[in-house]
Amino acid sequence: MVEEVYIIGDTAYAGHTTVHPLAICTVIVLGISVLFLPRRWSVFPILFMTCFISSAQRIVIAGMDFDFLRIMVLFGVMRLLLRKEYIGFVWKSLDSMVALWVASSVFFFILREGTFGAVINRLGFAFDVFGMYFLFRCLIRSWIDIDRIILSVILISIPVMIFFLLEHGSGRNLFSIFGGVPEITEIRGERLRCQGAFSHPILAGCFWALLMPLIAAYWWKSARDRMIAVIGIIASCIVVICSASSTPVMGVLSAVIGGCFFFLRKYMRFVCMGVILTLIALHLVMNGPVWGLIARIHSVGGSTGWHRYNLINQAIININDWWFSGCSGYTVASWGIHAGDVTNQYVLEGVKGGLITMVLFIAVILTAFRDVGRLCRFQSNHTYQLALSWALGVILFVHCSNFIGVSYFGQIWILWYLLLGMIGSMSCKKVKNIRSKITYSKLVNRSY
């Protein structure tokens, strides 16, 4: 794939086959598991591979870069075809928005670069999005499927926590044998920044901060499952602490805030309007722009809040450089951004594919929020399902928070597509129509 200079990731391994014997054996076993496990557990092997094999492990064929996560997606697609689990798939508005976002990103990136390498790069991107998103859309059909995903996450969190504690205690990363992660743990501000098999300490912490709301929702399943939820939350918190990064901490704070808003769920329209009006008021009375508040965030020693503020500010000032079809990382570097490091997913969407791509990416988020809102209203009489529905919205809110402080690369993308897949599969296209049909059927039954 084409190396993108505005993303810091496993670029040293891109375009080169890197295979460790243990990793290839693991992906074969997990891939076979995807084929033969019951559908409700079919996501477990994919999540397991994500957490224990670094994204540097890959096989390159004729310039096409297949990291092991893509290979797992191929196993998943094979499962869908062999078992015909794609039957019953219903196209929804969220699917349309995702497709438009991908099409825009692919078109404008290739239009700007005009090279065969750019075509290969965007084909890889489209494969990741459509492969993972629609795979999860087909595999997830009921609340029981989501319940099994949560249990899988909790089971995986325990060994992940153990590996992070070992890394924190020794200062060495055992997953360095796979490449893509340093053997000696990074230190910043006299704090070890553990990352395990993940591409970066920030992404490791964000990964488990994102899973916390889903794990917390497990508390409402039954009294006997509450201890399992507590174990998962503790394990996730330890990973976030070991990552020693401000963005994951802000993600956890966002999750807590999102959870607290559950008690105001009937008034969320007013809450959202209040937040928007408050931000506008602050922008008018502050000496600087309202996004300058990001520069004041220092939740962890060594936090680079000012860089994140400056990136947004420079993107707005230099909008003429990228609004049509994006720009190169070297152009971003000319704005005064160190090494063209775009640590903001919203800005990165614009840098890659212009303003239209950025708007469509935001449209995907807004569509997902709308579907979660409808889902919560429809599940208001089912405690556990309501908790799961709200948790999906909280995770989406945490993603939105993370996108301000980091641009995604590596394994964390799977949580974005998994979330969208769960929302897309469980959302009701028109809740009012469904409710009216239920009411009508009850009246018919009573008449008999």
Side-chain angles (χ1 to χ4, degrees), residues 236-252:
S236 302
C237 285
I238 289 175
V239 174
V240 170
I241 293 171
C242 289
S243 70
S245 304
S246 60
T247 304
V249 173
M250 295 306 298
V252 174

Side-chain angles (χ1 to χ4, degrees), residues 332-383:
V332 177
S334 70
W335 300 347
I337 306 301
H338 176 67
D341 184 16
V342 184
T343 54
N344 183 303
Q345 191 62 43
Y346 304 107
V347 175
L348 183 59
E349 293 299 325
V351 167
K352 281 185 176 181
L355 187 61
I356 293 177
T357 302
M358 177 192 286
V359 170
L360 287 172
F361 179 69
I362 295 173
V364 170
I365 296 173
L366 295 177
T367 303
F369 269 123
R370 182 203 64 186
D371 290 346
V372 168
R374 292 177 173 177
L375 189 59
C376 288
R377 290 192 293 272
F378 189 62
Q379 300 297 334
S380 59
N381 295 326
H382 306 277
T383 304

Side-chain angles (χ1 to χ4, degrees), residues 4 6-13 55 58 180 199-200 203 409-410:
E4 300 172 19
Y6 36 65
I7 304 177
I8 297 177
D10 302 317
T11 54
Y13 294 87
S55 58
R58 62 190 66 226
S199 301
H200 195 277
L203 298 179
F409 58 89

Side-chain angles (χ1 to χ4, degrees), residues 54-334:
S54 76
S55 58
Q57 291 291 300
R58 62 190 66 226
I59 298 174
V60 180
I61 303 174
M64 295 182 291
D65 212 329
F66 290 91
D67 60 40
F68 281 9
L69 184 54
R70 287 178 177 170
I71 293 175
M72 292 297 291
V73 171
L74 289 176
F75 275 109
V77 172
M78 192 183 306
R79 175 195 174 97
L80 296 182
L81 296 175
L82 292 175
R83 298 194 174 203
K84 297 183 178 180
E85 290 177 335
Y86 55 84
I87 296 176
F89 178 87
V90 178
W91 191 271
K92 298 181 181 179
S93 56
L94 184 58
D95 305 327
S96 299
M97 294 311 307
V98 170
L100 288 173
W101 164 53
V102 174
S104 175
S105 181
V106 170
F107 174 77
F108 286 108
F109 188 92
I110 295 175
L111 179 67
R112 184 184 76 248
E113 297 295 327
T115 64
F116 180 72
V119 174
I120 297 296
N121 178 278
R122 291 296 88 184
L123 287 178
F125 165 73
F127 176 85
D128 288 341
V129 179
F130 289 134
M132 283 187 271
Y133 173 69
F134 286 106
L135 174 62
F136 295 137
R137 282 280 280 110
C138 293
L139 291 178
I140 299 170
R141 301 182 183 179
S142 67
W143 292 111
I144 297 178
D145 298 332
I146 296 180
D147 178 85
R148 294 298 183 271
I149 291 174
I150 299 174
L151 188 56
S152 298
V153 167
I154 294 173
L155 291 174
I156 293 172
S157 70
I158 299 173
V160 170
M161 174 191 66
I162 294 172
F163 277 109
F164 268 75
L165 288 175
L166 289 174
E167 182 179 351
H168 189 269
S170 64
R172 294 181 178 273
N173 191 339
L174 298 177
F175 294 99
S176 61
I177 60 173
F178 299 129
V181 297
E183 179 182 358
I184 306 300
T185 303
E186 176 189 349
I187 299 176
R188 190 171 74 178
E190 299 183 354
R191 293 172 62 92
L192 286 170
R193 306 184 74 196
C194 305
Q195 67 184 89
F198 295 89
S199 301
H200 195 277
I202 293 177
L203 298 179
C206 288
F207 189 95
W208 289 98
L210 285 164
L211 291 171
M212 283 186 186
L214 211 55
I215 297 172
Y218 206 70
W219 175 277
W220 280 271
K221 183 182 179 182
S222 67
R224 65 179 182 179
D225 293 310
R226 290 177 179 174
M227 184 54 64
I228 299 176
V230 171
I231 293 172
I233 290 295
I234 293 174
S236 302
C237 285
I238 289 175
V239 174
V240 170
I241 293 171
C242 289
S243 70
S245 304
S246 60
T247 304
V249 173
M250 295 306 298
V252 174
L253 180 60
S254 299
V256 173
I257 293 173
C260 291
F261 274 120
F262 175 80
F263 302 102
L264 298 174
R265 61 188 181 278
K266 296 181 180 179
Y267 310 99
M268 284 308 297
R269 288 187 179 180
F270 300 103
V271 171
C272 292
M273 288 300 299
V275 171
I276 293 173
L277 293 174
T278 299
L279 291 176
I280 293 174
L282 287 173
H283 186 74
L284 294 174
V285 302
M286 288 174 57
N287 292 328
V290 69
W291 50 89
L293 294 173
I294 297 174
R296 301 175 182 270
I297 298 176
H298 298 286
S299 55
V300 174
S303 176
T304 53
W306 185 88
H307 169 75
R308 288 166 171 80
Y309 149 73
N310 186 52
L311 175 60
I312 297 173
N313 205 49
Q314 292 302 319
I316 295 173
I317 293 173
N318 297 282
I319 190 172
N320 288 334
D321 290 343
W322 60 268
W323 76 268
F324 178 65
S325 61
C327 62
S328 69
Y330 301 105
T331 301
V332 177
S334 70

